[in-house]
Amino acid sequence: MTDINEVKVHRPHKGGPGCFDHVALRLGHTPIPGLEGVKQWYITVNGRPHTASFDWLKWRSDQSKSAGEASARNLAKYIRFLIDERGLFTADERYSDVMVATEDDVLAYKRHCTQGDDRMKPQSWNKIAAAIKLFHIHVHSKDRLDLALPFPLKTVTTQDGYVHQTTGLSVPDKAGSKGTPLTPDFADVLLQGAKRLDSDFKEHDGPAAMRDWALVSHALATGMRRESLAMATIYEIPDPNGTPLVVNLVPDATAKGGAGSQSLAFEYRIKAVRAYIAEFRPAIAAKGANHHKPERPLRLLEATDTWWKYADHNGEVKDKKWAETDSDMRRRIVLDDGSSPLVHLTMQGTPMELDTVSKVVADARDFAVEHIDPTFPDGFRLHDCRHTFAVHMALVAPKTRSPARYAPRSVVAPPLSRHSDHGREATQGQLRRAMT
């Protein structure tokens, strides 16, 4: 979106025209007493001094000139996003941008900065996240005790006794890894761990286990990265066609670097995902009628596996290709019953965060190590499903025929049927036989 409001960062002035109090006077605002010749960094919005950030930036500028500048520039990017992308702008600053931001707004900004074509490096985001955290904590503790923090705040004590506060906004630096592809037997163990079935096939969990089983099946079936997994809709899951492999579409807008494409997927694992959608997902999705409340919702009117038609929050009807539909837009889609069309949902029927997708695989791994096979790789992570897919595909693809030509299907709601061979009682033997 093109900026429609001007958010500018200003360097310290010794006084005179251009300094904070003179800008305020020129625009008819009441200057802050004692600020003649402001020696700090500050922000303006459409030429108006942004007083909500002023005290915190003064504190940061007093610490050091470089800290004041970095904090002002990082916070200004956040303010610009809240105003232009989230629509949090009114003439009364008490009800605008940072003063009314919610956790959804902060997480949307995190996705904006860390996903998509222009994603920044984790180190750069972590600096912005630190500025957001410090600012909100400062405002909450000093100026507005009644102002809710727009993120959960946890106090963590490290082994060496260092105490710090964390928000979950940080993106960890990517550790180098050659990957840990699983053998077919270990892939079965991971799926068993996702279903919370111990070595005696005793079930330890309820509906959440079937959701986790479907997500791990989806990851092993397609090798998609976590954003593409998290943002896949029920309309984009391929139909089984009676061949070992089916064609899977990876949207450009959710793929790394926008490099989506057609790819192959294992049919028997896709059957497992579709069985979950037909049998177990409806009860979870139904909760979304009460909990899925996106801002500026997009009501889905019709969809195929390649495009969809919707009415935006103003009632205007539009259509769009799934390949061009980014994550923020997908999170705003609602069906007639108010639920989300995304395949993988929280137990409240709301879209999953990317960290939750990773946690599902980590929890399946931990259960597998503790309750099924202690030799299962304890360092396995979601991205290793991609390595596993690649290795299994290299072994299986040369032995198979190419799948039938892909034909789009037009549906208002997906015509999903029950699949007896991959319902709740799918066995490891069935999975191994399909691989061989």
Side-chain angles (χ1 to χ4, degrees):
M1 179 184 293
T2 303
D3 289 351
I4 57 174
N5 295 278
E6 183 182 56
V7 180
K8 297 183 67 175
V9 174
H10 301 266
R11 62 180 59 255
H13 296 277
K14 295 182 179 180
C19 75
F20 187 91
D21 52 318
H22 280 73
V23 172
L25 285 171
R26 186 175 73 249
L27 296 175
H29 297 282
T30 302
I32 300 176
L35 295 183
E36 295 78 8
V38 177
K39 297 181 179 180
Q40 71 163 77
W41 290 84
Y42 64 94
I43 298 169
T44 60
V45 177
N46 296 334
R48 170 184 58 80
H50 192 266
T51 56
S53 63
F54 186 83
D55 186 64
W56 179 68
L57 289 176
K58 182 177 187 300
W59 172 62
R60 294 291 285 166
S61 296
D62 288 344
Q63 290 182 315
S64 74
K65 182 178 180 181
S66 60
E69 179 180 6
S71 296
R73 296 195 184 283
N74 286 331
L75 193 65
K77 295 175 185 176
Y78 174 54
I79 293 170
R80 183 179 294 111
F81 177 84
L82 294 177
I83 291 175
D84 288 339
E85 301 294 337
R86 303 298 283 182
L88 304 182
F89 181 71
T90 69
D92 190 337
E93 193 179 83
R94 293 173 299 174
Y95 306 103
S96 192
D97 52 85
V98 294
M99 301 305 288
V100 295
T102 66
E103 185 176 2
D104 284 344
D105 297 318
V106 178
L107 291 176
Y109 185 51
K110 178 181 177 181
R111 293 192 297 269
H112 172 78
C113 292
T114 59
Q115 301 172 18
D117 294 344
D118 299 324
R119 70 187 71 188
M120 60 180 61
K121 294 180 179 179
Q123 306 93 298
S124 300
W125 163 251
N126 288 341
K127 292 177 181 178
I128 293 178
I132 294 172
K133 178 180 75 171
L134 291 173
F135 166 74
H136 281 295
I137 291 174
H138 181 86
V139 172
H140 176 75
S141 62
K142 187 170 183 178
D143 301 322
R144 293 283 300 278
L145 293 176
D146 61 325
L147 188 68
L149 287 171
F151 42 71
L153 188 64
K154 299 178 181 178
T155 300
V156 177
T157 303
T158 62
Q159 292 182 345
D160 56 3
Y162 176 70
V163 179
H164 65 100
Q165 292 175 309
T166 180
T167 63
L169 297 178
S170 297
V171 177
D173 293 335
K174 183 176 181 180
S177 173
K178 296 180 180 179
T180 307
L182 299 178
T183 63
D185 282 345
F186 267 151
D188 294 349
V189 170
L190 181 66
L191 285 164
Q192 187 178 333
K195 291 181 79 171
R196 305 300 189 267
L197 297 174
D198 62 21
S199 56
D200 296 323
F201 285 88
K202 180 180 178 182
E203 190 170 341
H204 287 245
D205 207 341
M210 299 310 299
R211 178 203 65 180
D212 295 357
W213 172 70
L215 195 154
V216 175
S217 296
H218 198 183
L220 293 172
T222 63
M224 292 195 300
R225 291 183 172 87
R226 67 174 184 172
E227 184 177 355
S228 295
L229 283 171
M231 294 296 110
T233 68
I234 54 179
Y235 301 93
E236 297 169 282
I237 304 301
D239 280 324
N241 60 8
T243 63
L245 301 174
V246 294
V247 176
N248 179 62
L249 297 180
V250 183
D252 297 338
T254 64
K256 184 177 181 180
S261 64
Q262 288 188 350
S263 66
L264 297 178
F266 293 109
E267 184 201 43
Y268 72 100
R269 296 207 191 280
I270 287 295
K271 281 185 177 181
V273 180
R274 292 189 67 82
Y276 162 76
I277 293 173
E279 299 178 31
F280 304 104
R281 182 184 173 279
I284 298 173
K287 299 178 182 179
N290 296 322
H291 298 285
H292 182 50
K293 305 292 184 182
E295 294 190 21
R296 297 177 296 157
L298 306 174
R299 185 166 62 87
L300 190 145
L301 303 175
E302 185 181 357
T304 73
D305 54 344
T306 56
W307 62 270
W308 58 298
K309 182 183 294 184
Y310 65 97
D312 65 17
H313 57 290
N314 293 320
E316 185 177 353
V317 176
K318 304 176 182 178
D319 57 70
K320 195 173 184 69
K321 294 180 180 179
W322 286 120
E324 300 170 354
T325 307
D326 63 20
S327 296
D328 283 336
M329 200 169 190
R330 288 168 180 259
R331 290 173 182 275
R332 293 163 51 200
I333 302 174
V334 294
L335 302 179
D336 287 341
D337 62 357
S339 64
S340 169
L342 299 183
V343 175
H344 306 296
L345 304 169
T346 68
M347 294 309 293
Q348 278 66 50
T350 58
M352 278 190 181
E353 292 297 331
L354 299 191
D355 289 345
T356 305
V357 178
S358 298
K359 186 176 185 299
V360 166
V361 176
D363 288 346
R365 172 204 65 204
D366 293 344
F367 189 94
V369 172
E370 183 176 354
H371 297 285
I372 305 173
D373 189 339
T375 66
F376 187 90
D378 58 4
F380 189 86
R381 56 197 177 96
L382 171 63
H383 193 73
D384 291 320
C385 289
R386 187 170 177 80
H387 294 288
T388 301
F389 167 82
V391 171
H392 290 188
M393 186 62 70
L395 295 173
V396 174
K399 303 176 184 179
T400 66
R401 295 176 300 168
S402 298
R405 182 174 179 83
Y406 197 73
R409 59 187 186 278
S410 180
V411 290
V412 175
L416 302 172
S417 59
R418 299 173 69 87
H419 302 285
S420 59
D421 57 338
H422 279 281
R424 183 182 291 271
E425 302 301 326
T427 66
Q428 291 192 52
Q430 288 174 319
L431 297 177
R432 278 195 292 272
R433 286 194 295 274
M435 282 297 299
T436 57

PDB file of all heavy atoms in Angstrom, residues 177-197:
ATOM      1  N   SER A 177      22.303 -25.984   8.964  1.00  0.00           N
ATOM      2  CA  SER A 177      21.917 -27.374   9.142  1.00  0.00           C
ATOM      3  C   SER A 177      21.908 -28.085   7.798  1.00  0.00           C
ATOM      4  O   SER A 177      21.465 -27.527   6.801  1.00  0.00           O
ATOM      5  CB  SER A 177      20.518 -27.482   9.779  1.00  0.00           C
ATOM      6  OG  SER A 177      20.076 -28.816   9.802  1.00  0.00           O
ATOM      7  N   LYS A 178      22.419 -29.298   7.791  1.00  0.00           N
ATOM      8  CA  LYS A 178      22.355 -30.101   6.582  1.00  0.00           C
ATOM      9  C   LYS A 178      21.044 -30.867   6.490  1.00  0.00           C
ATOM     10  O   LYS A 178      20.791 -31.546   5.513  1.00  0.00           O
ATOM     11  CB  LYS A 178      23.540 -31.084   6.559  1.00  0.00           C
ATOM     12  CG  LYS A 178      24.906 -30.390   6.470  1.00  0.00           C
ATOM     13  CD  LYS A 178      26.024 -31.422   6.445  1.00  0.00           C
ATOM     14  CE  LYS A 178      27.380 -30.720   6.363  1.00  0.00           C
ATOM     15  NZ  LYS A 178      28.497 -31.704   6.358  1.00  0.00           N
ATOM     16  N   GLY A 179      20.233 -30.777   7.521  1.00  0.00           N
ATOM     17  CA  GLY A 179      18.951 -31.447   7.516  1.00  0.00           C
ATOM     18  C   GLY A 179      19.040 -32.857   8.064  1.00  0.00           C
ATOM     19  O   GLY A 179      20.107 -33.473   8.089  1.00  0.00           O
ATOM     20  N   THR A 180      17.897 -33.352   8.527  1.00  0.00           N
ATOM     21  CA  THR A 180      17.819 -34.703   9.084  1.00  0.00           C
ATOM     22  C   THR A 180      16.669 -35.436   8.408  1.00  0.00           C
ATOM     23  O   THR A 180      15.563 -35.494   8.952  1.00  0.00           O
ATOM     24  CB  THR A 180      17.596 -34.657  10.609  1.00  0.00           C
ATOM     25  OG1 THR A 180      18.589 -33.829  11.211  1.00  0.00           O
ATOM     26  CG2 THR A 180      17.659 -36.060  11.211  1.00  0.00           C
ATOM     27  N   PRO A 181      16.892 -35.967   7.222  1.00  0.00           N
ATOM     28  CA  PRO A 181      15.804 -36.718   6.575  1.00  0.00           C
ATOM     29  C   PRO A 181      15.512 -38.003   7.334  1.00  0.00           C
ATOM     30  O   PRO A 181      16.415 -38.664   7.854  1.00  0.00           O
ATOM     31  CB  PRO A 181      16.359 -36.999   5.175  1.00  0.00           C
ATOM     32  CG  PRO A 181      17.845 -36.939   5.327  1.00  0.00           C
ATOM     33  CD  PRO A 181      18.105 -35.917   6.386  1.00  0.00           C
ATOM     34  N   LEU A 182      14.230 -38.367   7.403  1.00  0.00           N
ATOM     35  CA  LEU A 182      13.809 -39.559   8.119  1.00  0.00           C
ATOM     36  C   LEU A 182      13.692 -40.749   7.167  1.00  0.00           C
ATOM     37  O   LEU A 182      13.306 -40.593   6.013  1.00  0.00           O
ATOM     38  CB  LEU A 182      12.446 -39.321   8.783  1.00  0.00           C
ATOM     39  CG  LEU A 182      12.352 -38.215   9.828  1.00  0.00           C
ATOM     40  CD1 LEU A 182      10.916 -38.112  10.338  1.00  0.00           C
ATOM     41  CD2 LEU A 182      13.312 -38.455  10.983  1.00  0.00           C
ATOM     42  N   THR A 183      13.989 -41.924   7.685  1.00  0.00           N
ATOM     43  CA  THR A 183      13.679 -43.143   6.947  1.00  0.00           C
ATOM     44  C   THR A 183      12.161 -43.311   6.962  1.00  0.00           C
ATOM     45  O   THR A 183      11.463 -42.704   7.780  1.00  0.00           O
ATOM     46  CB  THR A 183      14.327 -44.354   7.628  1.00  0.00           C
ATOM     47  OG1 THR A 183      13.754 -44.504   8.933  1.00  0.00           O
ATOM     48  CG2 THR A 183      15.836 -44.183   7.745  1.00  0.00           C
ATOM     49  N   PRO A 184      11.603 -44.132   6.063  1.00  0.00           N
ATOM     50  CA  PRO A 184      10.152 -44.369   6.104  1.00  0.00           C
ATOM     51  C   PRO A 184       9.670 -44.842   7.471  1.00  0.00           C
ATOM     52  O   PRO A 184       8.599 -44.430   7.930  1.00  0.00           O
ATOM     53  CB  PRO A 184       9.950 -45.435   5.024  1.00  0.00           C
ATOM     54  CG  PRO A 184      11.043 -45.158   4.036  1.00  0.00           C
ATOM     55  CD  PRO A 184      12.225 -44.751   4.870  1.00  0.00           C
ATOM     56  N   ASP A 185      10.445 -45.704   8.147  1.00  0.00           N
ATOM     57  CA  ASP A 185      10.038 -46.181   9.464  1.00  0.00           C
ATOM     58  C   ASP A 185       9.979 -45.039  10.466  1.00  0.00           C
ATOM     59  O   ASP A 185       9.038 -44.938  11.261  1.00  0.00           O
ATOM     60  CB  ASP A 185      11.000 -47.263   9.967  1.00  0.00           C
ATOM     61  CG  ASP A 185      10.732 -48.613   9.316  1.00  0.00           C
ATOM     62  OD1 ASP A 185       9.656 -48.761   8.714  1.00  0.00           O
ATOM     63  OD2 ASP A 185      11.595 -49.503   9.408  1.00  0.00           O
ATOM     64  N   PHE A 186      10.973 -44.176  10.451  1.00  0.00           N
ATOM     65  CA  PHE A 186      10.976 -43.048  11.378  1.00  0.00           C
ATOM     66  C   PHE A 186       9.887 -42.032  11.023  1.00  0.00           C
ATOM     67  O   PHE A 186       9.353 -41.357  11.904  1.00  0.00           O
ATOM     68  CB  PHE A 186      12.348 -42.377  11.410  1.00  0.00           C
ATOM     69  CG  PHE A 186      13.254 -42.890  12.494  1.00  0.00           C
ATOM     70  CD1 PHE A 186      14.632 -42.871  12.341  1.00  0.00           C
ATOM     71  CD2 PHE A 186      12.732 -43.386  13.684  1.00  0.00           C
ATOM     72  CE1 PHE A 186      15.478 -43.336  13.342  1.00  0.00           C
ATOM     73  CE2 PHE A 186      13.566 -43.855  14.691  1.00  0.00           C
ATOM     74  CZ  PHE A 186      14.945 -43.842  14.516  1.00  0.00           C
ATOM     75  N   ALA A 187       9.560 -41.894   9.728  1.00  0.00           N
ATOM     76  CA  ALA A 187       8.443 -41.021   9.339  1.00  0.00           C
ATOM     77  C   ALA A 187       7.149 -41.541   9.956  1.00  0.00           C
ATOM     78  O   ALA A 187       6.308 -40.767  10.438  1.00  0.00           O
ATOM     79  CB  ALA A 187       8.328 -40.938   7.825  1.00  0.00           C
ATOM     80  N   ASP A 188       6.986 -42.866   9.962  1.00  0.00           N
ATOM     81  CA  ASP A 188       5.817 -43.467  10.614  1.00  0.00           C
ATOM     82  C   ASP A 188       5.806 -43.153  12.103  1.00  0.00           C
ATOM     83  O   ASP A 188       4.754 -42.869  12.691  1.00  0.00           O
ATOM     84  CB  ASP A 188       5.827 -44.986  10.416  1.00  0.00           C
ATOM     85  CG  ASP A 188       5.639 -45.398   8.964  1.00  0.00           C
ATOM     86  OD1 ASP A 188       5.297 -44.521   8.150  1.00  0.00           O
ATOM     87  OD2 ASP A 188       5.830 -46.586   8.656  1.00  0.00           O
ATOM     88  N   VAL A 189       6.981 -43.225  12.723  1.00  0.00           N
ATOM     89  CA  VAL A 189       7.083 -42.947  14.163  1.00  0.00           C
ATOM     90  C   VAL A 189       6.698 -41.494  14.450  1.00  0.00           C
ATOM     91  O   VAL A 189       6.012 -41.207  15.437  1.00  0.00           O
ATOM     92  CB  VAL A 189       8.511 -43.246  14.666  1.00  0.00           C
ATOM     93  CG1 VAL A 189       8.711 -42.726  16.088  1.00  0.00           C
ATOM     94  CG2 VAL A 189       8.797 -44.740  14.616  1.00  0.00           C
ATOM     95  N   LEU A 190       7.130 -40.574  13.586  1.00  0.00           N
ATOM     96  CA  LEU A 190       6.772 -39.169  13.780  1.00  0.00           C
ATOM     97  C   LEU A 190       5.263 -38.979  13.694  1.00  0.00           C
ATOM     98  O   LEU A 190       4.665 -38.260  14.507  1.00  0.00           O
ATOM     99  CB  LEU A 190       7.472 -38.291  12.740  1.00  0.00           C
ATOM    100  CG  LEU A 190       7.209 -36.793  12.849  1.00  0.00           C
ATOM    101  CD1 LEU A 190       7.801 -36.241  14.147  1.00  0.00           C
ATOM    102  CD2 LEU A 190       7.786 -36.031  11.659  1.00  0.00           C
ATOM    103  N   LEU A 191       4.626 -39.632  12.716  1.00  0.00           N
ATOM    104  CA  LEU A 191       3.171 -39.543  12.593  1.00  0.00           C
ATOM    105  C   LEU A 191       2.487 -40.168  13.802  1.00  0.00           C
ATOM    106  O   LEU A 191       1.476 -39.651  14.293  1.00  0.00           O
ATOM    107  CB  LEU A 191       2.720 -40.237  11.313  1.00  0.00           C
ATOM    108  CG  LEU A 191       2.992 -39.470  10.014  1.00  0.00           C
ATOM    109  CD1 LEU A 191       2.878 -40.396   8.810  1.00  0.00           C
ATOM    110  CD2 LEU A 191       2.052 -38.292   9.882  1.00  0.00           C
ATOM    111  N   GLN A 192       3.046 -41.262  14.304  1.00  0.00           N
ATOM    112  CA  GLN A 192       2.488 -41.875  15.498  1.00  0.00           C
ATOM    113  C   GLN A 192       2.633 -40.936  16.692  1.00  0.00           C
ATOM    114  O   GLN A 192       1.735 -40.825  17.538  1.00  0.00           O
ATOM    115  CB  GLN A 192       3.189 -43.208  15.781  1.00  0.00           C
ATOM    116  CG  GLN A 192       2.575 -44.021  16.909  1.00  0.00           C
ATOM    117  CD  GLN A 192       3.288 -45.349  17.110  1.00  0.00           C
ATOM    118  OE1 GLN A 192       3.873 -45.889  16.180  1.00  0.00           O
ATOM    119  NE2 GLN A 192       3.248 -45.860  18.338  1.00  0.00           N
ATOM    120  N   GLY A 193       3.763 -40.232  16.750  1.00  0.00           N
ATOM    121  CA  GLY A 193       3.959 -39.247  17.817  1.00  0.00           C
ATOM    122  C   GLY A 193       2.979 -38.100  17.713  1.00  0.00           C
ATOM    123  O   GLY A 193       2.489 -37.582  18.721  1.00  0.00           O
ATOM    124  N   ALA A 194       2.662 -37.693  16.463  1.00  0.00           N
ATOM    125  CA  ALA A 194       1.685 -36.615  16.276  1.00  0.00           C
ATOM    126  C   ALA A 194       0.307 -37.040  16.763  1.00  0.00           C
ATOM    127  O   ALA A 194      -0.455 -36.235  17.307  1.00  0.00           O
ATOM    128  CB  ALA A 194       1.629 -36.219  14.808  1.00  0.00           C
ATOM    129  N   LYS A 195      -0.034 -38.344  16.589  1.00  0.00           N
ATOM    130  CA  LYS A 195      -1.329 -38.859  17.033  1.00  0.00           C
ATOM    131  C   LYS A 195      -1.334 -39.209  18.517  1.00  0.00           C
ATOM    132  O   LYS A 195      -2.360 -39.610  19.061  1.00  0.00           O
ATOM    133  CB  LYS A 195      -1.711 -40.102  16.213  1.00  0.00           C
ATOM    134  CG  LYS A 195      -2.047 -39.799  14.761  1.00  0.00           C
ATOM    135  CD  LYS A 195      -2.434 -41.050  13.988  1.00  0.00           C
ATOM    136  CE  LYS A 195      -3.855 -41.454  14.286  1.00  0.00           C
ATOM    137  NZ  LYS A 195      -4.320 -42.545  13.378  1.00  0.00           N
ATOM    138  N   ARG A 196      -0.179 -39.049  19.172  1.00  0.00           N
ATOM    139  CA  ARG A 196      -0.031 -39.329  20.607  1.00  0.00           C
ATOM    140  C   ARG A 196      -0.367 -40.793  20.913  1.00  0.00           C
ATOM    141  O   ARG A 196      -1.042 -41.099  21.898  1.00  0.00           O
ATOM    142  CB  ARG A 196      -0.921 -38.406  21.449  1.00  0.00           C
ATOM    143  CG  ARG A 196      -0.721 -36.918  21.198  1.00  0.00           C
ATOM    144  CD  ARG A 196       0.715 -36.469  21.490  1.00  0.00           C
ATOM    145  NE  ARG A 196       0.814 -35.032  21.441  1.00  0.00           N
ATOM    146  CZ  ARG A 196       1.165 -34.330  20.359  1.00  0.00           C
ATOM    147  NH1 ARG A 196       1.422 -34.966  19.222  1.00  0.00           N
ATOM    148  NH2 ARG A 196       1.253 -33.018  20.400  1.00  0.00           N
ATOM    149  N   LEU A 197       0.143 -41.693  20.061  1.00  0.00           N
ATOM    150  CA  LEU A 197      -0.004 -43.122  20.294  1.00  0.00           C
ATOM    151  C   LEU A 197       1.342 -43.656  20.759  1.00  0.00           C
ATOM    152  O   LEU A 197       2.335 -43.558  20.033  1.00  0.00           O
ATOM    153  CB  LEU A 197      -0.438 -43.845  19.017  1.00  0.00           C
ATOM    154  CG  LEU A 197      -1.799 -43.464  18.428  1.00  0.00           C
ATOM    155  CD1 LEU A 197      -2.004 -44.166  17.090  1.00  0.00           C
ATOM    156  CD2 LEU A 197      -2.917 -43.830  19.386  1.00  0.00           C
TER     157      LEU A 197
END
